[in-house]
Amino acid sequence: MTRSVLSLASLLLCLAAFPAHSVATAAGPALPAQVEKINQAIEQGWADYEIRPAKEVDDLTWCRRVHLDIIGRIPTATELDQFASTRGVDKRSKLIDKLLHDDQYTEEYANHWATVWTNLLIGRSGGNDRRDLTSRDGMQKYLRDSFARNKPYNTMAFELVSATGGSKPGTPDFNGAVNFLINKVNDEKAVLAASSTSRIFLGQQVQCTQCHNHPFNQWKQQKFWEFNSFFRQTRALRKFVDGTRDIASAELVNEDFKGESNEPEDAVVFYELRNGLTKVAYPVFTDGTAIKVSGFVSDVNRREELGRLMLESEYLDKMIVNRMWSLFMGHGFTKPIDDLGPHNPSSHPELLDALGKEFRQSSYDLKQLITWITLSKPYNLAPVLGGNNKIDDPSIGEMPKFSRFYLRQMSAEQLYQSLVTATKATAAGSYEEQEQQRRRWLQQFVVAFGTDEGDEATTFNGSIPQALMLFNGELTKNATDTKTGGFIDRIYKGGKSPTDRVTDLFMSGLARRPTTKEIGIARQLLMARKGNEKEMMQDLWWAIINSNEFIMQH
Amino acid sequence: MISTWQTPAGMSRRHFMNHLAGSSAVVGASALMGGSIQAHAETLRKNRKSAILLWMGGGPPTIDLWDLKPGAPTGGEFNPISTTGDMQICEHLPQVAQQMKHLSIVRSMSTREADHNRGRYYMHTGYVPNPNIEHPSYGSVLSHELMSQRPELEIPPFVSIGGASAGPGFLGMAWAPFSVTSNGRIRNLDMRLDDRRLLQRMAALQTIESGFAAKTRDTPASEHAKVLDKTLALMTSDQMKAFKVDEEPQAVKERYGTTGFGQGCLLARRLVEAGVPFIEVDLGGWDLHQNVHATLKNTKLPELDKAMSALVEDLAQRELIDDTVVMWMGEFGRTPRINANAGRDHWARSWSCVVGGGGIKGGIAVGDTGRDGTAVESEPFSSEDLMTTVCKGLGISTETTFTSKNGRPMKIAGGGKLISELVS
């Protein structure tokens, strides 16, 4: 109702100002062609399955959603207010634009995406051990700089795969990009470097084919070792802190590879079939393109060649599109998202393909890709599983139809950032101090699986340790503190009436006004607290941040 | 609801909390408190079964531990020694050898998953990963089945010590493993709040919580409430003292070994005593692509020997062994062939698991992998077969069927076959 009135008003304005312009804006602002493409493909799916999508999500919930997804935290009450008072049918596109391009958000945008990619490239524990070659600081610094400058994605991929230099900020020849591979090349013939690179950047799961031909994967053992051969000129060098095994500094270098038969002009890799036969492999890319067989770096730099071949591969495009789509929509076009082989069906194969091509044509501008996804119809739906889209439930194994916004939990990092930034729950400090504090907090949720591949899981997954942390943890204690100048104190001194202030709490945490029932609860709490309003607010804020509505991205 | 706003005088904290859980919960476990159930508790306690899984993350070289091939080119450098059972095992497990009368070895495990993630999933669930469904892990399934024997249990029925185990799949987050470190210290357990105020906060929380669940009608929103209930029950339970492994006498701690795994095994025994039906204890670091024998001899086997033997011995001395199944396994074994780095790589085709206790026969070795260990030369067994046998040993019907969210019926333990030598 409100929306149609608004649209009409803006249409009139629009017509008055630009009488010659198209009337198409009556249905909403003109959308980039890529968004139309997404909408058409997704709507076609709804028609095919005879489902009706959820309604469009309300403005404030959407505002919270897009803040969490783009800059990694919920909006403050002020940001919500500003958005609520923005006029025009293009208010959503304006907010996307602001979060992506306004200088005030550059740092948060860069930090958020650096966090996402650090976890992806070196895991949640990479670099946390003093004996680890990886420098988490170095990885984050490289990524923060890259996202702050909106470095094209293909450049980033190339740099991460081909980097040489020092791992730690401040060391000579520092190049943070080396941290992706520095702990993956020395052991086991760089098996981990090969499997991580192909999985993360190309969506090719090859780890099984190291030992045998995969039963239902097109990759064969031969292909694994050919791909692996690209990493065999690479070494990680280390310097220890005197008298310990702690890593002082590390460096990733390319060295001549003499091959496993000691002939650098013909630098070969051997591997063994399950029947005991030995076979040979040279660097050959997944599409069959071979490079020179020499192991001399002066003849051919194998990782740079790999980087170049990757940039030509359509799988590079599809993988990043699928990844970004799933980060925003809660599900990718495939499951798992980083397995794009023909054995693994995709929910919308043509759309995945088309978006990959569009992204390439946009010069790999991640901010454009984000704009297309967040403006698209499916991203703007309510998180409601209703009678008309009941079958759209990926949690029971259905292919996603994107007819609603799928509920999902915030990441531990998003929760932390939301409480810290929105409620200033920790003391300020330098970037480094804050980062150390954040890292310590995050570490409590990481559980390792004890493999050489550094596999890990998180207990920030909706289970009891997470609930205990939110009930009783330090972060909650700080967020609900009533001390002067704190979040609750500021709200307490702000609003006109107790009801106003209760509304402020709900807006800050849940981006909505309280219901009548919730106001009733607040009133009861106030009585129970014998009229101490600050304590009532403390109780209420505790309840808000412990709720499903707070912890869910919705 | 209103009644939660005031604490009647003289009401104990526990009683009070149970009231709350009963009123706020969707299906709180602690809401089951009732006189008639308590009357049966003693009988139930006598019959209750538990299982402990010793999980060897990374894939242990079972050919060097349980199925030695002395003299074969694949045999490695270790010698076999005799045990109290009818089999020989590695010389670097002398204390475990003394307990083998309680344990049996399945030497003819033959599986297909030689990737860590896939193997971990398969050995924990009996199913290969499938994008359309998340299978519940054995820990979730078995604790789900065994819960009816312990209505008085307030702490989580599935505890994972020192590792992540595997998730509850379609059974929902209420059956997720409760992940703790081996010292049993649990973070953020202190409430720092008086009971009455906590209850009032919980009432406010419940209002917001149920509003959101009703609005979205989606599972994650309602699952959340169940976990809140379990958390509240645990926070207020006296049974949590089972986690205080520090309170064990020093001599007992030393018997298990003052390693993470040693203390984890000791904690597992305490949890069995407290009534927890499924406990996993993790020992990682078996991914021995290089220097396999030196690492085994110097670090892995001494740690394992001490802890595993202490656990079995302790369970036997406390007369718990006949009601507690103990399993030992990883995601796969390792290649019979020793590679150029003196290591062994991933190998799923022929390897061993160890199982005993409960109704499972100890002291025997089942299956044969021939002269060099490269192939199973007897009836091969799978994850499903092993778990079917474990179910039998725990008195759980192997006909038990679960229904996944999309309505697909799934037999417990994937409908595997019994390893008949191990059960009577």
Side-chain angles (χ1 to χ4, degrees), chain A residues 75-341:
Chain A
T76 61
T78 317
E79 286 166 329
L80 282 163
D81 269 356
Q82 280 173 5
F83 180 65
S85 57
T86 309
R87 302 268 161 240
V89 286
D90 59 348
K91 63 188 286 186
R92 293 192 181 186
S93 107
K94 274 186 185 150
L95 178 57
I96 293 166
D97 203 50
K98 187 171 171 185
L99 292 173
L100 288 173
H101 299 288
D102 194 307
D103 287 349
Q104 66 170 307
Y105 291 113
T106 306
E107 196 181 322
E108 286 187 283
Y109 171 86
N111 281 341
H112 171 56
W113 289 97
T115 298
V116 170
W117 277 86
T118 301
N119 289 344
L120 189 60
L121 295 170
I122 61 171
R124 285 191 149 88
S125 39
N128 283 336
D129 190 293
R130 281 171 309 169
R131 297 184 178 185
D132 192 337
L133 294 178
T134 315
S135 158
R136 202 168 185 84
D137 292 334
M139 186 83 266
Q140 279 179 332
K141 180 162 175 29
Y142 166 79
L143 290 166
R144 273 202 324 275
D145 293 348
S146 301
F147 285 108
R149 291 167 37 208
N150 197 26
K151 186 180 281 175
Y153 175 73
N154 57 344
T155 310
M156 237 174 73
F158 182 86
E159 289 174 354
L160 287 164
V161 168
S162 66
T164 57
S167 62
K168 264 191 190 172
T171 53
D173 205 18
F174 167 67
N175 177 1
V178 300
N179 287 294
F180 167 47
L181 290 177
I182 200 158
N183 208 31
K184 302 187 178 80
V185 292
N186 279 7
D187 297 336
E188 289 183 56
K189 307 177 175 180
V191 158
L192 202 49
S195 60
S196 304
T197 301
S198 65
R199 181 175 54 81
I200 293 171
F201 291 104
L202 302 170
Q204 313 275 344
Q205 303 262 347
V206 301
Q207 58 275 29
C208 309
T209 53
Q210 167 195 348
C211 311
H212 57 90
N213 290 341
H214 203 281
F216 50 84
N217 187 319
Q218 84 284 19
W219 272 64
K220 299 290 177 224
Q221 206 177 347
Q222 174 77 15
K223 273 182 100 171
F224 178 86
W225 290 104
E226 287 171 350
F227 195 77
N228 167 273
S229 299
F230 284 103
F231 297 92
R232 302 301 283 274
Q233 288 174 328
T234 310
R235 294 290 301 164
L237 310 177
R238 66 190 87 189
K239 275 204 189 106
F240 295 113
V241 175
D242 284 344
T244 74
R245 301 285 290 169
D246 296 355
I247 301 296
S249 62
E251 194 184 354
L252 193 66
V253 299
N254 292 322
E255 284 177 350
D256 292 339
F257 176 50
K258 59 186 190 303
E260 292 182 357
S261 60
N262 263 322
E263 289 171 70
E265 303 82 12
D266 184 35
V268 70
V269 163
F270 294 126
Y271 68 94
E272 193 174 281
L273 296 181
R274 293 234 306 198
N275 61 16
L277 282 178
T278 299
K279 304 263 282 177
V280 300
Y282 294 99
V284 178
F285 191 63
T286 57
D287 61 1
T289 310
I291 62 165
K292 280 191 225 164
V293 298
S294 167
F296 289 116
V297 181
S298 54
D299 282 343
V300 54
N301 179 326
R302 289 188 173 188
R303 277 193 297 141
E304 281 186 8
E305 289 304 315
L306 172 64
R308 265 189 278 281
L309 289 163
M310 278 170 57
L311 299 200
E312 286 165 24
S313 169
E314 60 169 332
Y315 281 101
L316 182 84
D317 314 349
K318 283 193 198 177
M319 186 58 236
I320 182 63
V321 163
N322 203 28
R323 182 180 302 288
M324 295 297 280
W325 182 268
S326 87
L327 285 171
F328 282 85
M329 309 295 299
H331 286 278
F333 296 113
T334 65
K335 188 177 175 185
I337 60 156
D338 49 10
D339 187 356
L340 296 179

Side-chain angles (χ1 to χ4, degrees), chain A residues 254-460:
Chain A
N254 292 322
E255 284 177 350
D256 292 339
F257 176 50
K258 59 186 190 303
E260 292 182 357
S261 60
N262 263 322
E263 289 171 70
E265 303 82 12
D266 184 35
V268 70
V269 163
F270 294 126
Y271 68 94
E272 193 174 281
L273 296 181
R274 293 234 306 198
N275 61 16
L277 282 178
T278 299
K279 304 263 282 177
V280 300
Y282 294 99
V284 178
F285 191 63
T286 57
D287 61 1
T289 310
I291 62 165
K292 280 191 225 164
V293 298
S294 167
F296 289 116
V297 181
S298 54
D299 282 343
V300 54
N301 179 326
R302 289 188 173 188
R303 277 193 297 141
E304 281 186 8
E305 289 304 315
L306 172 64
R308 265 189 278 281
L309 289 163
M310 278 170 57
L311 299 200
E312 286 165 24
S313 169
E314 60 169 332
Y315 281 101
L316 182 84
D317 314 349
K318 283 193 198 177
M319 186 58 236
I320 182 63
V321 163
N322 203 28
R323 182 180 302 288
M324 295 297 280
W325 182 268
S326 87
L327 285 171
F328 282 85
M329 309 295 299
H331 286 278
F333 296 113
T334 65
K335 188 177 175 185
I337 60 156
D338 49 10
D339 187 356
L340 296 179
H343 56 276
N344 194 21
S346 149
S347 63
H348 298 76
E350 291 92 5
L351 178 57
L352 175 58
D353 208 46
L355 275 177
K357 291 197 171 93
E358 291 287 352
F359 185 52
R360 178 176 287 254
Q361 276 158 28
S362 81
S363 310
Y364 293 96
D365 180 345
L366 285 165
K367 290 188 175 179
Q368 277 202 51
L369 180 56
I370 292 173
T371 306
W372 304 337
I373 295 174
T374 49
L375 275 178
S376 75
K377 203 166 249 183
Y379 187 79
N380 284 266
L381 296 175
V384 177
L385 182 60
N388 300 319
N389 62 351
K390 226 182 175 59
I391 65 158
D392 186 7
D393 192 353
S395 78
I396 64 168
E398 290 292 332
M399 282 273 198
K401 322 274 188 295
F402 305 104
S403 71
R404 63 189 171 102
F405 191 81
Y406 304 117
L407 285 188
R408 59 182 190 265
Q409 217 192 244
M410 288 183 196
S411 67
E413 291 87 352
Q414 284 171 321
L415 172 80
Y416 187 86
Q417 224 53 42
S418 293
L419 285 180
V420 168
T421 314
T423 74
K424 300 198 170 54
T426 56
S430 68
Y431 166 80
E432 282 75 18
E433 285 160 12
Q434 287 182 35
E435 178 57 23
Q436 286 312 318
Q437 219 172 10
R438 185 177 85 120
R439 231 176 260 177
R440 268 198 304 278
W441 183 84
L442 289 168
Q443 251 345 82
Q444 68 182 299
F445 301 111
V446 182
V447 192
F449 280 122
T451 66
D452 269 12
E453 293 171 17
D455 301 318
E456 60 191 19
T458 174
T459 55
F460 194 86

Side-chain angles (χ1 to χ4, degrees), chain A residues 188 272 397 404 477 539, chain B residues 132 192 197 201 218 337:
Chain A
E188 289 183 56
E272 193 174 281
R404 63 189 171 102
K477 184 172 167 262
D539 291 344
Chain B
N132 299 325
R192 315 173 193 203
R197 197 161 170 201
R201 285 185 177 185
D218 200 0
R337 198 184 78 95

Side-chain angles (χ1 to χ4, degrees), chain B residues 117-332:
Chain B
N117 287 312
R118 295 181 62 90
R120 181 166 51 237
Y121 188 95
Y122 170 65
M123 289 308 294
H124 270 101
T125 63
Y127 290 88
V128 295
N130 174 334
N132 299 325
I133 190 162
E134 280 175 39
H135 303 94
S137 63
Y138 291 134
S140 302
V141 168
L142 296 185
S143 56
H144 184 273
E145 289 308 297
L146 294 170
M147 259 315 268
S148 58
Q149 300 174 351
R150 50 261 287 169
E152 75 289 0
L153 191 72
E154 293 159 352
I155 56 182
F158 174 13
V159 178
S160 172
I161 303 170
S165 187
F170 61 73
L171 287 184
M173 283 316 287
W175 299 99
F178 178 50
S179 209
V180 299
T181 47
S182 57
N183 61 19
R185 270 175 234 138
I186 292 153
R187 281 167 172 267
N188 305 316
L189 202 56
D190 293 338
M191 209 172 332
R192 315 173 193 203
L193 206 64
D194 70 76
D195 294 348
R196 183 191 305 200
R197 197 161 170 201
L198 177 71
L199 284 178
Q200 290 158 349
R201 285 185 177 185
M202 287 303 291
L205 170 55
Q206 183 219 346
T207 306
I208 302 172
E209 187 89 7
S210 54
F212 187 68
K215 191 161 71 184
T216 59
R217 282 172 270 175
D218 200 0
T219 329
S222 47
E223 281 292 309
H224 188 258
K226 296 186 198 171
V227 174
L228 290 185
D229 274 353
K230 291 215 164 194
T231 307
L232 193 64
L234 163 156
M235 270 167 59
T236 54
S237 173
D238 293 338
Q239 295 171 4
M240 287 303 282
K241 63 179 185 294
F243 286 96
K244 296 196 167 160
V245 71
D246 272 356
E247 291 178 357
E248 287 286 327
Q250 191 58 27
V252 175
K253 285 193 244 181
E254 279 167 17
R255 171 64 188 95
Y256 277 82
T258 49
T259 57
F261 185 62
Q263 298 307 291
C265 284
L266 178 52
L267 177 52
R269 191 266 289 159
R270 289 177 66 92
L271 292 173
V272 165
E273 286 179 316
V276 175
F278 194 98
I279 303 122
E280 174 172 326
V281 192
D282 280 33
L283 176 59
W286 294 97
D287 202 5
L288 299 168
H289 290 280
Q290 37 211 343
N291 295 324
V292 56
H293 293 104
T295 313
L296 286 177
K297 189 176 155 184
N298 298 329
T299 58
K300 305 290 347 149
L301 297 186
E303 184 175 10
L304 176 68
D305 189 41
K306 219 167 186 192
M308 187 174 178
S309 65
L311 175 64
V312 175
E313 185 181 53
D314 205 0
L315 288 173
Q317 280 171 1
R318 289 168 193 255
E319 296 179 353
L320 292 166
I321 192 81
D322 291 338
D323 294 308
T324 310
V325 170
V326 177
M327 289 168 269
W328 179 101
M329 65 182 176
E331 53 263 48
F332 37 68

